Every structure is written in C-alpha cells, then in structure tokens.
Amino acid sequence: MSAGQHGPAEDPGDIANHPRWLWLDRALCASLAIYGLAVLLTLLALPHFFLPAEDAVILHQYSRNLAEQGAITYYSGGPRAEGATDFAWMALVAGAIRCGIAPPVFTAVINFSTLLLLGLVMLRAAALRVTPTRLLMIAGAAGLVPQMVAAGAGFALLPDALLLALLVVSFARQRVTLTAALALLLCLFRPDGIVFVVPLLVFLLLRPDTRGARAQRILLAFVLPGLAYFVWRVAYFHALFPLPFTVKSDVHRTLGVLVPHSFTSSLKYLFFDSALLLPLLWRPVPGLRAWIAGHAPRADTIPLVVSLLAVPTLFYWAMRLDQNVGDRFFFYLPLSAALLLALNWSTFDDPRRRLILRIGWAAFLVFLLGPLLREFRSFRDYQFRDVQAIAADLRRLPTRGTLLTTEAGFITYGSGWVAYDAWGLNTERFAHHLVQPSDVVALHPDLIVLHPEPQESCLPQPDWLPAYTVRSWPNMTRNLILGANDAGDYQLWLISYGSFHYRHRKHWRYGEGDRECFLVRQSSPRFAGMVAVLTQHDAVGPPQSIALERAHKDALGVRRNPAPLHQDLNQVLEFLPRTPTGS
C-alpha cells in the first residue's frame, strides 16, 4: 500500500541528477491515482453484479438473526453459537438490516468509506498534506494487494485495516488511553486482534517513569471492559473460545508449532515487505560501497515490527486458515509495511522516497501480481448463483426442513432451514470432533449438501475406512457419504460448483469436475419438493448422477471399480460392505 503514498517532490537538484527517471515516477504515481479511482468505484458496484463469498454470507446469517430475533444463532430459532467471531461487525450489519439495508450493499459502502479514511490516516501519519490525488494513490496502492479481493467479496477487511492503522498511529504518538480504547475496539471487530494489541500495550508499559499511570489507563480503557465482554460472551455462549478458533486450532503442526500451508501462504507477503522496508532498515556494511545512504528509523520501529509483523505471523503460522479468501488473514503484512513507511516518511529525503516508489512497484510485479490475478480469476469462477437460487426455492416449500452441509453460507441463509455445519465452524457438536457417520444417521437430515475436493468421490469406495477421526476436508466429506450410506435412503444429485466461466476454462460439462453433491432423503415428506427444486435448476439426478461420478473417478484414475449400486437401481445409494485397507 505504501508505494504510492507520496508523489515525487519537485526538488531541482534531484531532478537535475535524475532527469530521465522523473517521467517514470510521475507515470507510476498517475497510474496509481487512476487505478485508485477504479478501485473505489468497483467497491461500490460489486454487490450489484457479483455475489459475496460464502463465509461473508455466514456472518450475514448471524446478523439477520440478531436483527430479527435478538439472538446470536446460526439458524433462526437455533441454539446460541459464536460462529461469527467479528462481534462488532456483526452488530453493525444487524443494525443495517434493521434499517432495511442489504448486507452486501452496507459492506460495500463501509469498505468504500474506510478505504478513504485509511488514506487520510496514512497521510496524517506521514505528515503530508491531504489532497484528492494522494488519497486516490493510496487507494490504488491498496488495490494492488490480493486482500482487496476479499474486501470486494464482502469481508470487513478495510474496517479492520483502518482500526489497526489508527491503533498504530496512536501508539506512535504515545496516546495511551486512546491506544487502549482502539485496542479494545479492534478486538471486538476481530478477536485475533489480540495478537497485535498485547505486544503494543506491553511496549507502552516499558517506560519506568510513567509505568504506573499508563498501566492504570490501560486497565480502565482495555483490561476491565475486555474482561467484562469476555465474561458476558462465556455466559452467553457457554464456551471459552469461539467455534472457529476451536476448529482452526485442531490441526497437525510440523514440529508441533507450524502449519505448512499457513507458512507458505505468508511467504510472498513477507518477501514483499522485506523489499519494501529495505530502504527504511538498510544499514551500510563497513568496507563496502553503500548504494544508498544509511537511515536512522524512528525509535519505535523495532517495537512496531515485533507487534505488527513478528508476533501475528507466528500466531497465524500455528493456525489452519480456513476460507482464506484473498489471503485475507495476512492483510496486516502489506498494511504494516505501509504504516512503518508512513511514520518514517518525513525523515526520508527525495532519493529514498523515489527508491521506495520504484521498489514497491518492482516487488508488486514479482511477488503480488500473480496472486492478485489468481484471486480475481477465483472470484469470478466461484460466482455460484445456482445454489443461491436453489436455496431461495427451498425456502418456498410448505414446511421447513433440516440440512447438514459443508457449505454453511448461501444454502443456509437462503433456505432458512434448520442447519448443521459439518465442518463445525457454526455447530458446536462438530467443532470439538469431526462429524462421524453415526452423527449423520442420528440427525437423519432431509438434505445433505457437501462440496468434496475434486479428486474425491460422492460415492463410497470399498477401500474407505468405516469412519475417519482426523480433521481434514476429505475425511469430513467421506464421513458424510458413509453416514448417508448407513442411513440407506439417500438419493444423489449433482450440481456444478462455480460459474460458467469456471466450467468453460476447465472444459467440464455440467455436473463434471468440481461439483456439489446433494443427498436427498427419500423418506422425507419434502422429498418431492426438493427433487422438483433441483430439477428446476438443472441438477443431475440418478441414474445419470451415478454415471457421472463413476466417470469422474475413472477420469482421475483414482479408482475404476466403485462399489455397485442397489441392484434394482432405485436411485438409492447402496454399497458393498467396506473393508479397511489402511490406517
């Protein structure tokens, strides 16, 4: 975000020394400003043309229940559940719903506004005059990071970024009470904000001459209100930690501390930050010619690096980052680099500012352009309007059904059915242990909706274990299919996952490749209605669905002999006894 926070200063000596590069700097800054205008307009337009992400819709579900019923529940009339961990954001969206504003529209307006405010905070931190061009340049720089796709997909990313920026600027100015209050607000917006807040507050207490007075202010503005909120939420939800924290911490770690995928996902941002911060932290090596003069950063730079980069990154490396759309959990990495540069901006000379601009563009091209384009493509690919329409029609059935699903957003929000989240982010019983086949039999829901990984099958295989206990997505989907098989009266229907563009790019026919599996209970009084809804929306039913699944396995070369169906081909899933072949 920081590469374009300041246009090249009109220093005559510098222009004389570098006349051939001045046009490049001006072109880069103008490009940022034009792109920034496009980013702002796109944020406002997105909800009118695109669907939000699945996880964003889950929060809308909680907000709607809070607005309409005054309770924090996953489904209407359900038990209290803390699946929406962004408490303050959930409450704001609930207020918008009470005012008749659709959640996606409200989110777009807030993201648009907070991006402009974030630019204002950056300029104030850099001690620069606020101008429309500079605000647009910051918006353009922000639009170069993949996390902006998450903002466009309906997440409260920019409000979180604004709060973190305000917190850092307040810390830099040693405004203890304001810092503590902003720390509390950030934690209410996202509970993992605690990993930023605690180090910053600890550093505020390191000055021995004012430690007592500062501790008292932090106690009154952060600790006591925070404890009061924690006690309330424990009493309300009867749980120490939110359900997503329980699920995301249930993961195998390398050496007991590191989740490999979380680690590798962060590397491109760490490399980007390293390049961007090099002009700030560079120290000439004695005996070597200095290609840039040394620079003494602010005294609080190291505390900020520890609090904004080191501690949070170690925390996220230890967690499984589910639904990490646009690498949204790593939004703080480019933001922190921007904040560090902004706070030191007034101490930079013009050559260093120009160097930061050029390095920023180069680092973007090397580390972030590819991920940004992939996120744009994924956002378009996963515009899944079929399931939204199916959910809306399920809501129109005469009676309310029960639903067990791996896709906890659109289908639950649109149908209004009693819903159980198989992954456990919104259903407590599955947060503490992986859903088992016996759970499926016990619930016996009217409809099971699951999204298997492309290499997995929606048909039970003879080499599967009777049940799986280690939490992973393939193990969960297998357990659901095994449970439906044990229940004995479910029919398989398929719909293609994502948009037409996705299928066209992959050369898949409808129902092939990446798909959602709908297991419809034949003994349900809603069976005819569910089948009619699926048929209306071009879902593929038996026996074609069975043939597609067999062909899917054959095409992947994973297994060419799926267990036979029920002998009368009554469109019911029925399979040979399973014999475990591995651990």
Side-chain angles (χ1 to χ4, degrees), residues 172-299:
R173 296 178 179 177
Q174 295 293 295
R175 300 179 66 176
V176 178
T177 303
L178 180 59
T179 301
L182 288 168
L184 176 65
L185 188 57
L186 177 62
C187 290
L188 290 176
F189 264 82
R190 49 182 307 135
D192 50 346
I194 195 74
V195 300
F196 304 93
V197 163
V198 169
L200 287 173
L201 295 181
V202 168
F203 279 116
L204 281 178
L205 295 175
L206 292 184
R207 290 181 56 177
D209 54 333
T210 58
R211 183 176 299 158
R214 292 182 174 214
Q216 184 179 27
R217 294 180 183 182
I218 292 172
L219 178 70
L220 293 175
F222 176 75
V223 177
L224 292 180
L227 283 176
Y229 169 74
F230 185 80
V231 170
W232 169 83
R233 59 160 296 280
V234 169
Y236 190 86
F237 297 110
H238 304 290
L240 283 176
F241 300 107
L243 299 181
F245 179 84
T246 303
V247 173
K248 293 175 183 180
S249 61
D250 181 12
V251 61
H252 171 74
R253 298 177 176 88
T254 301
L255 302 177
V257 296
L258 188 71
V259 179
H261 183 68
S262 300
F263 171 74
T264 56
S265 297
S266 71
L267 289 181
K268 52 186 171 288
Y269 302 106
L270 292 172
F271 291 144
F272 175 78
D273 278 11
S274 299
L276 205 56
L277 293 176
L278 185 61
L280 170 65
L281 304 176
W282 169 259
R283 292 289 187 275
V285 178
L288 295 179
R289 181 179 178 181
W291 59 276
I292 183 173
H295 175 264
R298 291 168 52 106

Side-chain angles (χ1 to χ4, degrees), residues 131-146:
T131 66
T133 300
R134 285 173 174 161
L135 288 175
L136 290 177
M137 288 168 61
I138 294 175
L144 296 177
V145 299

Side-chain angles (χ1 to χ4, degrees), residues 271-273 275-276 358-369:
F271 291 144
F272 175 78
D273 278 11
L276 205 56
R358 296 165 191 170
I359 287 180
W361 272 104
F364 162 72
L365 294 173
V366 172
F367 298 115
L368 299 188
L369 177 59

Side-chain angles (χ1 to χ4, degrees), residues 459 491-494 511 540-551:
L459 302 177
Q491 189 179 98
L492 174 63
W493 288 72
L494 302 174
V540 179
Q544 291 88 350
S545 58
I546 306 299
L548 274 174
E549 277 302 291
R550 285 176 166 170

